[in-house]
Amino acid sequence: MMNGNGKSDEPIVPRKAANKADMHSAHAAEPPEGRGSVKGKPCGHTSTRAQDRIRLQHALKRIRKAIVRDRSIQLTGLWHHVYDPGRFRPGRSEHRALDALYMGLMRKRVNWIVDADIRGFFDTIDRQWTMKFIAHRIGDKRVLRHIAKWLKAGVMEEEKLTRSEEGTPQGGSISPLLSNIYLHYVLDLRVEQWRKRTARGEVIIVRYADDFVMGFQHKEDAERFLKELRERLAKLNLKLHPKKTRLIEFGRNAARQRRARGEGKPETFNFLGFTHFCDKTRKRGRFIVLRQTMRKRMQAKLLEIKEEHRMRMNESVPATGRWLRAVAGGYYRYHAVPRNLPAMMSFYRQIGRQWAASLSRRSHKAKLDWRRMHTIIKRWIPSPHITHPYPEHRFGVTT
């Protein structure tokens, strides 16, 4: 690891070779049965792979401990993006990004939005540039060698191994980490530099994985940055999606300015499953950002539930009810943001109708009475309610 110009830190991963006793015991140990090994016969290949994985885990664990112990170690390029399972970055969930965007739109002078999407990001990441970015902060060749192997590893699907010459492995556990490192150098640092040196007005950016939204005070800044971003990404074998990348007028002054020009309501944009609108409060008419569940996301989820109903048609009501309770609870936990209750109530009614239709198909003679169906729905499917606080209360406390 490089901590300064021309100076190399001591390796966090020790270079001491394993003791002979440990090596002897490792080779003499009998591996677990299964995965191609013969019962009672040691398999050196399996035990070696397991030891390599354990050693690598210990190596990365020591890196994390060293960073926690000494904050002066310049490892932010990697540590800033190390993630825990189920998230792309520690302490930076989807709702944290949504709160940050909400606060930026409400408190900054944002009049224009760049809603950008990188086409086939995970499939077109340049591996050479990825290794250069990682080597900028890590000097231990053994860690770099293992990361290079991760990049070259293929994906096993239906007992077929497929490899690609570019991008990161689809579904690989290392892909989110490498993608965050890549965009940290390609996008994040560039935006920070451009904001200080070139921008005339205020600039905000919120990124989660490869999805990012930028806000600008002046249209000229937005157009100039979008042009430079396309040129920068082209040098790194990346492209912005031509149909999904838009420059729209959005903010507290958008409705008034568009009305003066004889245009319609401000356009909307999608980010992390929510459609963002320009709206006003009911009492005082103040500007507020309205977030509602994306229609496509809800329709896709309802279609998925409908297909599952067909598979569960002959199950008992309690069994199906427990499944629907879990599905609805997971959906509510993510989408229960302030002012999104109408969309959740629509989802609640739709899954109730689907369940009623599924129960009615069991018999061609008897029809299910809706009074009884309402009782069943209330018994098993929880009604939605808002669980997330306003971003001013949550984001303002945690930052």
Side-chain angles (χ1 to χ4, degrees):
M1 293 167 295
M2 300 303 293
N3 209 5
N5 295 328
K7 295 182 180 180
S8 180
D9 297 333
E10 296 181 359
I12 296 176
V13 183
R15 296 181 179 177
K16 179 182 178 182
N19 296 329
K20 293 183 178 180
D22 296 338
M23 294 177 61
H24 176 73
S25 61
H27 287 286
E30 185 175 300
E33 299 176 10
R35 292 201 174 188
S37 60
V38 181
K39 183 177 180 180
K41 183 178 180 180
C43 178
H45 177 69
T46 304
S47 60
T48 303
R49 282 199 308 174
Q51 291 174 17
D52 290 342
R53 288 197 296 266
I54 294 174
R55 289 170 184 167
L56 180 58
Q57 292 173 5
H58 285 312
L60 296 179
K61 186 176 181 180
R62 295 191 182 194
I63 293 176
R64 297 187 185 103
K65 287 183 178 180
I67 298 169
V68 175
R69 182 174 61 252
D70 188 358
R71 294 292 182 178
S72 64
I73 297 179
Q74 299 298 317
L75 273 171
T76 55
L78 175 63
W79 176 246
H80 187 62
H81 304 286
V82 174
Y83 70 103
D84 58 351
R87 295 183 178 181
F88 279 86
R89 296 166 70 177
R92 292 172 171 83
S93 63
E94 295 94 332
H95 280 283
R96 182 73 182 274
L98 290 167
D99 290 348
L101 177 60
Y102 180 94
M103 296 299 294
L105 295 174
M106 292 294 296
R107 296 189 176 182
K108 298 294 183 179
R109 292 188 290 269
V110 174
N111 299 316
W112 296 89
I113 290 291
V114 172
D115 181 17
D117 181 81
I118 301 177
R119 170 182 280 179
F121 173 68
F122 288 96
D123 298 329
T124 56
I125 290 179
D126 193 301
R127 294 181 179 178
Q128 294 183 354
W129 276 108
T130 302
M131 294 307 302
K132 290 180 181 179
F133 294 149
I134 297 174
H136 182 68
R137 294 293 186 182
I138 297 179
D140 196 309
K141 294 182 179 179
R142 290 167 294 177
V143 177
L144 296 176
R145 185 169 62 250
H146 280 295
I147 294 176
K149 290 181 179 179
W150 272 330
L151 280 172
K152 296 178 182 178
V155 178
M156 183 72 71
E157 293 180 352
E158 297 180 356
E159 299 183 357
K160 282 188 177 182
L161 180 64
T162 56
R163 300 180 185 272
S164 60
E165 298 297 329
E166 60 181 6
T168 59
Q170 284 287 348
S173 59
I174 196 65
S175 297
L177 171 61
L178 298 180
S179 65
N180 272 314
I181 296 173
Y182 196 86
L183 287 179
H184 173 74
Y185 288 96
V186 173
L187 181 64
D188 298 349
L189 296 182
R190 176 57 181 168
V191 172
E192 186 67 22
Q193 183 186 49
W194 196 89
R195 176 174 13 197
K196 295 179 180 179
R197 299 180 180 180
T198 308
R200 293 174 49 247
E202 294 188 0
V203 179
I204 66 170
I205 178 173
V206 177
R207 179 176 68 84
Y208 185 83
D210 60 326
D211 297 329
F212 65 95
V213 174
M214 298 189 63
F216 296 85
Q217 182 178 359
H218 302 295
K219 185 178 181 180
E220 295 77 12
D221 286 346
E223 294 174 340
R224 182 176 180 181
F225 181 84
L226 193 57
K227 180 181 178 181
E228 294 181 6
L229 180 61
R230 286 194 173 97
E231 297 174 354
R232 178 175 177 82
L233 293 179
K235 297 178 181 178
L236 299 170
N237 198 29
L238 295 175
K239 294 181 180 180
L240 292 177
H241 199 290
K243 295 183 180 180
K244 296 182 180 180
T245 301
R246 304 177 302 153
L247 174 61
I248 63 175
E249 190 173 9
F250 192 97
R252 62 179 65 253
N253 301 320
R256 176 175 52 82
Q257 293 176 355
R258 292 176 66 87
R259 193 184 308 110
R261 297 194 299 265
E263 300 176 355
K265 295 181 180 180
E267 296 182 72
T268 63
F269 66 93
N270 300 323
F271 185 63
L272 297 182
F274 289 92
T275 302
H276 292 68
F277 300 82
C278 291
D279 201 7
K280 294 182 179 180
T281 58
R282 295 179 180 178
K283 294 182 178 180
R284 301 183 180 181
R286 293 181 178 179
F287 169 74
I288 192 173
V289 178
L290 176 63
R291 300 174 296 176
Q292 290 187 348
T293 304
M294 290 175 54
R295 181 177 298 179
K296 291 183 179 180
R297 292 284 183 90
M298 182 185 295
Q299 291 176 349
K301 187 63 177 179
L302 290 173
L303 182 60
E304 178 185 342
I305 296 174
K306 184 178 180 180
E307 295 295 332
E308 187 68 19
H309 269 302
R310 294 178 180 176
M311 304 296 294
R312 296 173 174 266
M313 185 177 296
N314 295 323
E315 289 188 359
S316 63
V317 170
T320 305
R322 285 190 292 267
W323 165 68
L324 280 176
R325 178 186 294 171
V327 172
Y331 189 87
Y332 297 160
R333 280 191 292 273
Y334 184 80
H335 294 90
V337 299
R339 298 171 67 89
N340 192 36
L341 187 60
M344 291 197 299
M345 287 299 300
S346 176
F347 178 82
Y348 172 76
R349 290 190 293 268
Q350 289 292 334
I351 60 177
R353 293 192 185 103
Q354 289 182 358
W355 195 8
S358 178
L359 293 176
S360 299
R361 291 191 184 100
R362 289 183 174 185
S363 175
H364 295 284
K365 298 181 180 180
K367 292 185 178 180
L368 184 63
D369 183 53
W370 264 106
R371 293 183 180 179
R372 182 184 175 190
M373 192 63 218
H374 280 306
T375 304
I376 295 174
I377 292 175
K378 291 181 179 180
R379 168 66 177 84
W380 292 107
I381 304 179
S383 58
H385 59 276
I386 302 300
T387 58
H388 292 277
Y390 277 93
E392 294 93 335
H393 302 154
R394 178 168 56 187
F395 190 80
V397 173
T398 57
T399 53

